[in-house]
Amino acid sequence: MSGVVCTLRVAEVTPETADAVSVSFETEAGIADELRYKPGQFLTLRIPGPDGWVARCYSLSSAPGDPRPTVTVKRVPGGLASNWICDRLRPGDTIEVLPPAGRFTPAPGHRDLLLLAAGSGITPVMSILRSRVREGGSAVLVYANRDERSVIFAAELRRLTEEYPDRVQVVHWLETLHGLPDLGRLTALVRPWAGADAALLCGPKRFMHTAAEALEAAGMDRSRVLSEEYQSLTSNPFAELSAAPAPPPADEACTGTLTVELDGERRTFPWPARTTLLDLLLAQDLDAPFSCREGSCSACTCRVVGGEVKLLRNSVLMEEDLAEGYVLACQAVPLTDQVEVVYD
Ligand SMILES: Cc1cc2nc3c(=O)[nH]c(=O)nc-3n(C[C@H](O)[C@H](O)[C@H](O)COP(=O)(O)OP(=O)(O)OC[C@H]3O[C@@H](n4cnc5c(N)ncnc54)[C@H](O)[C@@H]3O)c2cc1C
Ligand code: FES
């Protein structure tokens, strides 16, 4: 993954429910490498708006190895990008995207998964489910929706449970039948699977909060829980990519040195104290990945292997990630004279 913009041609737009569509893209020669992704990762799409362009993240619902990368988008009432995609995007149209990014992906050793999704949160979870089943793993999915008609991927989920009854189990939670998911009932529901290798959850904020509490109450260790929160980007990474990188402020003292390993190359630069790692790398013309630049998407994640940095904001990396040295380049400023960073 990198900060390079790809232009994709829409192959198909498939209605999933009255409020959601899947958009699949042609993979033309020359961009296949840029589009290599892990299950659960997202693309950042450039969408026209009334006052210019906006950028929005959409998770891939397809799994690596599927013929076409596909995103699935659910309308948000009054939402700019989701409604434009559902109403306006057609086969043959082209759209600019940033390559796949994100850390909402199970570790390779995690074969048996507990998945919790609500509404459009099913998108990355579906990618993970498809890929794990293909690799011989197993998954239990707890999937919350308003009613039966709003269940995205209902037919495919039914097919998977019929085809792999020993490895795929889907528990539907319909608000019209069961009310909103609450802590007590959700805890009782997930308890039998609290020994899964990992739990991955994605959905609206309130659902994620209840689901995380239910997993903890059911005895699942927090280090095995991974979550993805949806929100609209307020920055525009496409505009930032085409703009000349801002030079560091003139009064900024240069406190240290950065050594970075990116795309197989090792480079060393002075690192001014108040410049973020991402700004420094882009100013040096390096192809460092990023999307939100707000500390909330994890597209810019890299690993500190020497020295220390401080994160100005972080709403995506967990304590376990930080303990392993993972940091957000868009939010990292140096704390020590020498810092060494690698992009895995
Ligand atoms: C990593 C990541 C992956 C994502 N993957 C998907 C995906 O696979 N499918 C998908 O449909 N969306 C996904 N999203 C959400 C998507 O990026 C947009 O935030 C969403 O489509 C709303 O954008 P919009 O332009 O239509 O609405 P906006 O014009 O940005 O918002 C309109 C109004 O709706 C509110 N709002 C914004 N988002 C939501 C929401 N999700 N639910 C309820 N209200 C909201 C806003 O506060 C605002 O008041 C993802 C977001 C992230 C960060
Ligand atoms: S670019 Fe999204 S967290 Fe850094």
Side-chain angles (χ1 to χ4, degrees), residues 42 56-59 72-74 76-83 120 123-124 228-232 297:
F42 65 87
R56 293 286 185 270
C57 305
Y58 289 103
S59 308
T72 301
V73 179
K74 183 173 178 176
V76 166
L80 175 64
S82 56
N83 287 289
S120 59
T123 300
E228 177 96 299
E229 195 179 315
Y230 283 0
Q231 55 185 296
S232 292
C297 80

Side-chain angles (χ1 to χ4, degrees), residues 19-21 40-44 47 54-61 70-86 101-102 104 119-124 152 202-205 228-233 291-292 296-298 316:
D19 281 336
V21 297
Q41 287 194 308
F42 65 87
L43 299 176
T44 307
I47 309 284
V54 299
R56 293 286 185 270
C57 305
Y58 289 103
S59 308
L60 289 143
S61 52
T70 300
V71 294
T72 301
V73 179
K74 183 173 178 176
R75 285 180 200 277
V76 166
L80 175 64
S82 56
N83 287 289
W84 182 86
I85 292 171
C86 289
F104 186 64
S120 59
I122 189 64
T123 300
I152 304 173
C202 185
K205 216 175 203 153
E228 177 96 299
E229 195 179 315
Y230 283 0
Q231 55 185 296
S232 292
L233 299 188
S291 179
C292 72
S296 59
C297 80
S298 80
V316 62

Side-chain angles (χ1 to χ4, degrees), residues 164-236:
Y164 306 100
D166 302 335
R167 293 200 285 124
V168 180
Q169 195 173 339
V170 179
V171 181
H172 287 284
W173 184 300
L174 300 178
E175 280 170 31
T176 45
L177 287 181
H178 309 107
L180 283 173
D182 59 82
L183 180 57
R185 288 185 295 162
L186 208 49
T187 305
L189 187 58
V190 298
R191 185 166 279 127
W193 300 294
D197 292 334
L200 293 102
L201 46 124
C202 185
K205 216 175 203 153
R206 193 166 55 173
F207 171 80
M208 303 250 294
H209 185 72
T210 311
E213 282 194 339
L215 288 168
E216 199 171 342
M220 181 155 233
D221 195 277
R222 274 181 57 182
S223 66
R224 287 184 287 132
V225 179
L226 209 56
S227 57
E228 177 96 299
E229 195 179 315
Y230 283 0
Q231 55 185 296
S232 292
L233 299 188
T234 52
S235 59
N236 185 345

Side-chain angles (χ1 to χ4, degrees), residues 10-76:
V10 174
E12 268 184 281
V13 180
T14 311
E16 299 288 356
T17 64
D19 281 336
V21 297
S22 285
V23 180
S24 62
F25 302 104
E26 306 282 2
T27 44
E28 285 150 19
I31 55 169
D33 276 353
E34 294 295 344
L35 281 185
R36 198 162 291 147
Y37 61 97
K38 294 180 187 161
Q41 287 194 308
F42 65 87
L43 299 176
T44 307
L45 274 60
R46 184 171 180 254
I47 309 284
D51 306 315
W53 298 87
V54 299
R56 293 286 185 270
C57 305
Y58 289 103
S59 308
L60 289 143
S61 52
S62 53
D66 281 348
R68 287 179 175 142
T70 300
V71 294
T72 301
V73 179
K74 183 173 178 176
R75 285 180 200 277
V76 166

